[in-house]
Amino acid sequence: MTEMTLKPGTEWATLYARCREIAPEAFAADRVNNHWGGQWRADGEPRTSYSPVDGSEIAGPPMLDEATADLAVAGAAADHRAWSGVPLDERRDRVRAAVRAWGEHRDTLALALVWEIGKPWRLARQDVDRAISGVEWYLEEVDRMLDGRVALDGPVSNIASWNYPMSVLAHAMCVQALAGNGVIAKTPTDGGLVCLTLAVALAVREGLPFTLVSGGGRDLSPALVRGSEIGCVSFVGGRDTGGRVAADLADLGRPHILEQEGLNCWGVWEFDDWDTLTGQIRKTFDYAKQRCTAYPRFVVQRSRFDAFLQAYLSAVSTVRFGHPLAVADPGDDLPQLDFGPLVNAAKAKELTDRVEEAVAGGAVPLHRGSVADALLLPGQNTDAYVAPVALLEPPRSSPLFHAEPFGPVDTIVLVDTEAELLAAMNASNGALVATISCDDTDTADRLAAGVRAFKVGVNRPRSRGDRDELFGGWGDSWRGAFVGGELLVHAVTRGPASERLPGNFPHYTLHPEGRV
């Protein structure tokens, strides 16, 4: 077997030096800075962080305390008051200049994503490209979206997960600013610090009112969620943290968008197009299923299980994973991988332990890949790497039965009736997406109506969607306003007094001004 080597020019030290050269105000030799009150500041205690790619030490988030977070929010509120009076044409010009700068430094932003969160090169570049193209679409469409609307009373506070710092978080920040708001973002503590900091530095140079802070949720939540000057809270993450945020917001009457995890399911019923399904299953392994629209659960009609299993194993056996920057020859292109490592070694161990516990509880291993099959450098640390696993019938006591694994672990549940199919697909009380594979589309549509997911595909996967496609969730997978297209703008602006924003507000009603 050919011995692999690190692609020259992709080293962490080379990347960080490039970031310092591009934005020296944001990156010091020994730390990354926060940005608030119109200045880059060497405050907060940098936390030691390690790359999931090979376990090497990388830049860690500069963790602020609660008192400093309060000052940062006050600065963001001042930025908001000034920015909300800037004419739309000027806001548009500045946002356009910011995304143009992102394009100029696209590969640096993407390489940061590789080192910080383990994204394969193809997907890292895609994340940056989607952020740019998405904002560009809003630049062209925002006039009609803002007709009759004004900015919020205070800045938008963003608390997002680590997996899509560009196409979800940075993209939303630009749209929020385009709509006339000051913007605060908390850097994800699990990864994405350098990428997001560089993106913010490029945007701040163009005059965008961005505040960027790092810190623990317990320390920053009083300021970023409950702070009196916050106009809206936008959260993307797990249900545990999301539940705490929702509890903090319950008595504040504050606009919010809370996207939380859900166990997205793929149902197979009266279906026989196995070649198509094999190709679809292979694609579900992109980025190790570390995304909110991943499909980790297959609910399969028992009488079709033998054919399904053959299709599934044909797909999973072709999945390629490993070190995203490993090449056989220095002149080779970076590898075309389905995924690299998980976000950190702790997550990899947690997922591996859950698999072992499920098997001990009665789950049947149908497929177990090996890290030895991964594309790796000689002797590299592999603590964050997990090979694909598929388990049949996880016990109901296992977290793998009812919760999203956020890793390359699939579970398969067998059913005999349509009622059992729907019950199994609704195991997590709400999801973002689902799919029904069924030869008869009328039957598929009827079944889809009983699935508690926001988007249900028939014989195809669903995704978050781009631009004008509505996005949200049902049940515990979502709280607050839906987004997508004009709703992403409407969620962070105020409209007519009679407006009722579309969304999942299970415990609240909307006041006339559009707040909950």
Side-chain angles (χ1 to χ4, degrees):
M1 184 175 178
T2 303
E3 188 169 283
M4 309 302 291
T5 186
L6 187 69
K7 175 77 172 178
T10 65
E11 304 84 356
W12 167 259
T14 301
L15 164 69
Y16 194 77
R18 197 179 305 161
C19 291
R20 291 197 66 204
E21 180 181 350
I22 296 168
E25 67 274 24
F27 300 95
D30 60 345
R31 61 166 295 136
V32 178
N33 295 328
N34 292 294
H35 183 268
W36 58 271
Q39 298 180 37
W40 288 97
R41 302 172 187 267
D43 53 9
E45 185 67 27
R47 193 181 78 169
T48 302
S49 293
Y50 302 93
S51 171
V53 171
D54 62 4
S56 59
E57 187 170 339
I58 59 174
M63 310 289 275
L64 295 181
D65 57 26
E66 183 178 338
T68 309
D70 286 336
L71 294 174
V73 170
D79 291 343
H80 175 86
R81 288 189 290 272
W83 180 255
S84 61
V86 173
L88 175 58
D89 285 345
E90 183 177 345
R91 300 200 305 264
R92 181 167 24 222
D93 288 345
R94 293 188 185 187
V95 171
R96 181 174 285 114
V99 295
R100 186 181 301 121
W102 290 353
E104 292 170 1
H105 298 286
R106 170 220 199 188
D107 284 359
T108 302
L109 291 163
L111 187 57
L113 292 178
V114 175
W115 277 108
E116 294 189 282
I117 60 177
K119 278 200 171 180
W121 181 240
R122 169 180 61 88
L123 298 178
R125 288 176 124 193
Q126 184 182 94
D127 193 16
V128 179
D129 290 344
R130 286 184 60 192
I132 294 170
S133 64
V135 176
E136 288 175 339
W137 183 81
Y138 278 95
L139 288 168
E140 298 302 319
E141 301 290 337
V142 73
D143 291 88
R144 64 175 176 82
M145 298 177 181
L146 285 175
D147 186 28
R149 309 189 69 82
V150 297
L152 297 171
D153 296 330
V156 181
S157 178
N158 295 271
I159 303 170
S161 58
W162 42 266
N163 52 346
Y164 287 94
M166 289 300 298
S167 62
V168 174
L169 180 52
H171 168 270
M173 292 170 68
C174 278
V175 176
Q176 292 159 6
L178 187 60
N181 300 294
V183 180
I184 308 169
K186 175 180 137 16
T187 61
T189 52
D190 284 330
L193 167 73
V194 168
C195 176
L196 187 60
T197 300
L198 180 57
V200 168
L202 295 170
V204 165
R205 285 183 178 180
E206 304 301 336
L208 296 193
F210 285 178
T211 294
L212 185 67
V213 294
S214 294
R218 294 186 185 277
D219 293 328
L220 270 56
S221 185
L224 300 187
V225 177
R226 295 190 63 88
S228 61
E229 295 182 288
I230 297 296
C232 175
V233 176
S234 177
F235 170 86
V236 179
R239 289 192 182 183
D240 289 345
T241 303
R244 290 193 291 270
V245 172
D248 283 342
L249 289 169
D251 60 348
L252 295 179
R254 177 167 296 163
H256 58 276
I257 308 155
L258 304 184
E259 177 187 334
Q260 302 168 108
E261 64 185 313
L263 183 60
N264 306 317
C265 294
W266 195 306
V268 179
W269 187 261
E270 301 294 337
F271 179 77
D272 289 300
D273 187 4
W274 305 112
D275 288 343
T276 296
L277 187 62
T278 294
Q280 291 170 335
I281 290 172
R282 165 71 186 272
K283 292 178 181 177
T284 69
F285 281 94
D286 267 5
Y287 194 33
K289 307 203 176 205
Q290 296 178 105
R291 60 186 192 278
C292 67
T293 54
Y295 285 88
R297 165 66 54 79
F298 290 88
V299 181
V300 182
Q301 186 177 13
R302 192 182 306 273
S303 62
R304 296 294 205 278
F305 177 61
D306 55 340
F308 168 85
L309 184 59
Q310 183 175 345
Y312 182 91
L313 294 178
S314 295
V316 74
S317 65
T318 62
V319 169
R320 297 187 71 219
F321 71 106
H323 192 306
L325 303 173
V327 293
D329 183 270
D332 289 349
D333 292 333
L334 289 171
Q336 294 292 308
L337 302 177
D338 296 292
F339 63 89
L342 300 194
V343 67
N344 54 47
K347 175 61 183 177
K349 183 180 185 306
E350 173 193 279
L351 193 56
T352 300
D353 288 347
R354 287 187 173 181
V355 168
E356 296 305 323
E357 291 167 3
V359 171
V364 178
L366 297 177
H367 175 83
R368 276 186 165 178
S370 171
V371 172
D373 297 328
L375 186 72
L376 300 170
L377 298 180
Q380 75 158 84
N381 180 289
T382 61
D383 288 349
Y385 290 80
V386 174
V389 175
L391 301 178
L392 177 66
E393 299 287 4
R396 290 179 177 270
S397 60
S398 168
L400 293 179
F401 183 84
H402 54 77
E404 183 180 22
F406 232 61
V409 174
D410 284 339
T411 55
I412 300 167
V413 174
L414 303 184
V415 296
D416 296 298
T417 67
E418 291 183 358
E420 289 177 324
L421 177 83
L422 294 177
M425 293 188 70
N426 293 329
S428 68
N429 186 29
L432 304 177
V433 297
T435 288
I436 298 285
S437 286
C438 180
D439 291 337
D440 183 81
T441 55
D442 289 339
T443 299
D445 289 338
R446 177 171 52 79
L447 291 171
V451 176
R452 196 164 170 74
F454 186 74
K455 293 182 178 181
V456 183
V458 173
N459 296 323
R460 66 186 180 97
R462 296 307 310 270
S463 67
R464 183 184 181 94
D466 288 320
R467 302 186 174 109
D468 210 18
E469 188 175 358
L470 185 66
F471 188 63
W474 295 129
D476 287 340
S477 69
W478 197 279
R479 292 286 184 271
F482 290 157
V483 296
E486 65 181 16
L487 291 184
L488 183 56
V489 172
H490 291 182
V492 295
T493 53
R494 288 181 290 125
S498 60
E499 176 181 67
R500 190 191 191 287
L501 293 177
N504 187 9
F505 298 96
H507 304 302
Y508 316 112
T509 56
L510 290 172
H511 294 305
E513 66 270 23
R515 293 175 177 268
V516 294

